[in-house]
Amino acid sequence: MKHYRTHPLPALVVAAAACLAAPALQADAVTDWNAKAAAAVAAAKLPPHPSYRAMAMTQMAVYEAVNAITRRYPQGRVKLEADANASVDAAIAEANRVMLSKLVPGQQAAIDSAYQAALSSVPAGPARDAGRAAGEQAAAAVLAWRADDGAATPESYRPLTSPGRYVPTVTPAFPQWPQRTPWVMARADQFRPGPPPSLKSARWARDFNEIKVIGARDNAQRSAAQSDIARFWEATGPGIYFPVARSIADAPGREITQNARLLALAGIAMDDALTAVMDAKYRYHFWRPVTAIRNGDVDGNAATARAAAWLPFIDTPMHPEYPCAHCSLAGSLGAVLKAEVGAGTVPRLTTTSPTANGAVRSWTTIEGFVQEVSEARIYDGVHFRTSTEVGTELGRKIGELAVGSPALARN
């Protein structure tokens, strides 16, 4: 049973296939293959949660392979011996090939084509062979590490109801995700936030009335610019977030192991953020705006009025409201990027959105990017402001934890 809303797939899959087959255009093999991996995951039509897991595993394998050769950083959990003269580019290609073949096997033809194209630029000989061996070993080690991380746990959501009472029969998205073993958190609830606002509070009334106006499907008070932002961030997959990280990685003067570490950090931070946010969502089971606003007369707050036919600007995701998952992703990535380059003005951060017809958006500060994601979910009509603030803070804590993880220690 499908229980999540996907992107407009035909256009997305065509774009992903083109990216996977495209020649290298980015700063180095790490960022080139990151774009190709995201394209393969998108073309495989994985739901968002497994998509972030796949990207985290792939980027971790790439980092382990590269670092085993360059020896720039201390080794973490994965201990590899690699020839210092091995080809880094061959190692990156092999790590990606092995990981993607395992995680998105339906894309094998495109993966093999990209792999052969990458290897063709590396001279045959001992260095290439040693690089391929390092990539294969790193991928095997990460696959073994994450084999029993709980992602395969069967969904067993129990609907909240009373005997004989009908409830909608669509299964919510990934209620089993909190059972996963995190990358850097001690457990899924390590940073679980407190509960959402009391329905009798002024804060609840503020959140309710704000989104009722600005997040409605038919609403003259949401500006055209705000609607554009809302459509842009309707996209949920890793293909919209990793280009933001590559904006940093593609800056002049970056060394390839730096980039491998940065993208691995981005991957594991965002993957853990989803584990943590789903833990909180299914702990609190807080209602979405479409439910709350249609029941504004029964929440016990005189400042919230019911709107019987209210609809959000975009379709509501199939999981509880609190806290905001998109915001936790942006918050975790933002924390990783700030640790890398500081909190001031940065090289222009840029990404494109398949839900906005390939529109491009850019930011000159990390905070500007993170804040826009938060605002977008209010404009979308699917998250209350408190939820966006809490989700962003949850993500920030996880991103900061990832940066200090022994698995990716800087020194």
Side-chain angles (χ1 to χ4, degrees):
M1 175 186 298
K2 297 285 188 184
H3 52 58
Y4 48 86
R5 187 173 189 272
T6 58
H7 308 319
L9 285 173
L12 178 58
V13 171
V14 169
C19 182
L20 191 58
L25 296 174
Q26 304 296 324
D28 57 35
V30 165
T31 56
D32 290 336
W33 270 103
N34 175 261
K36 293 178 187 298
V41 168
K45 305 179 187 178
L46 290 183
H49 296 66
S51 293
Y52 284 95
R53 175 180 182 264
M55 289 299 294
M57 291 174 66
T58 301
Q59 294 308 138
M60 182 59 81
V62 169
Y63 168 73
E64 294 291 358
V66 173
N67 193 50
I69 297 169
T70 66
R71 305 173 190 178
R72 174 164 182 158
Y73 302 112
Q75 288 190 317
R77 173 166 176 160
V78 175
K79 308 294 185 184
L80 298 178
E81 294 294 333
D83 185 342
N85 296 313
S87 166
V88 170
D89 284 3
I92 293 166
E94 191 70 34
N96 275 278
R97 184 192 69 80
V98 174
M99 295 302 297
L100 295 173
S101 297
K102 176 70 173 179
L103 297 169
V104 287
Q107 300 302 303
Q108 193 64 59
I111 294 165
D112 288 345
S113 177
Y115 173 71
Q116 292 300 331
L119 278 192
S120 69
S121 65
V122 182
R128 186 170 81 172
D129 293 343
R132 291 175 64 189
E136 184 173 18
Q137 291 168 22
V142 174
L143 285 167
W145 176 9
R146 303 303 296 177
D148 298 318
D149 69 354
T153 302
E155 177 275 314
S156 58
Y157 180 77
R158 183 170 183 168
L160 303 177
T161 186
S162 56
R165 184 173 182 85
Y166 169 80
V167 294
T169 53
V170 178
T171 304
F174 295 97
Q176 76 277 25
W177 222 239
Q179 298 177 51
R180 291 186 61 216
T181 301
W183 290 91
V184 297
M185 294 187 296
R187 57 189 188 279
D189 65 352
Q190 180 175 348
F191 298 112
R192 182 190 288 170
S198 164
L199 299 184
K200 296 184 178 180
S201 68
R203 188 173 193 177
W204 166 246
R206 179 207 68 176
D207 286 359
F208 180 106
N209 289 310
E210 176 186 36
I211 203 167
K212 182 181 177 183
V213 172
I214 204 166
R217 185 161 298 180
D218 298 314
N219 186 345
Q221 295 192 44
R222 183 181 51 248
S223 70
Q226 290 170 332
S227 293
D228 288 344
I229 291 171
R231 291 189 189 94
F232 191 95
W233 289 106
E234 187 178 1
T236 57
I240 199 168
Y241 281 107
F242 274 100
V244 177
R246 292 200 301 271
S247 298
I248 300 296
D250 287 340
R254 299 272 305 179
E255 187 268 335
I256 200 164
T257 325
Q258 278 184 297
N259 286 344
R261 178 179 179 273
L262 173 63
L263 295 180
L265 280 170
I268 65 174
M270 289 191 287
D271 194 25
D272 267 13
L274 279 183
T275 298
V277 81
M278 298 311 280
D279 165 78
K281 283 178 179 289
Y282 286 104
R283 169 64 178 84
Y284 295 116
H285 279 95
F286 198 60
W287 55 3
R288 288 281 185 169
V290 66
T291 308
I293 293 169
R294 290 183 175 218
N295 287 279
D297 57 337
V298 297
D299 64 1
N301 194 318
T304 60
R306 180 184 186 227
W310 191 89
L311 288 171
F313 184 55
I314 69 169
D315 291 346
T316 298
M318 283 304 303
H319 45 74
E321 190 273 337
Y322 177 88
C324 167
H326 242 317
C327 306
S328 72
L329 290 168
S332 63
L333 178 57
V336 167
L337 298 182
K338 284 181 182 178
E340 190 76 6
V341 298
T345 301
V346 297
R348 185 172 294 275
L349 308 175
T350 301
T351 190
T352 62
S353 172
T355 56
N357 296 318
V360 178
R361 293 192 67 81
S362 298
W363 308 268
T364 56
T365 66
I366 295 167
E367 185 55 39
F369 147 68
V370 173
Q371 185 60 33
E372 179 174 298
V373 174
S374 179
E375 294 292 330
R377 303 311 273 172
I378 301 170
Y379 304 153
D380 280 331
V382 298
H383 277 296
F384 300 108
R385 182 165 296 277
T386 295
S387 180
T388 69
E389 295 168 348
V390 171
T392 300
E393 178 64 11
L394 174 63
R396 182 192 63 78
K397 291 177 180 178
I398 293 167
E400 291 176 351
L401 181 68
V403 168
S405 167
L408 287 151
R410 198 187 293 269
N411 49 49

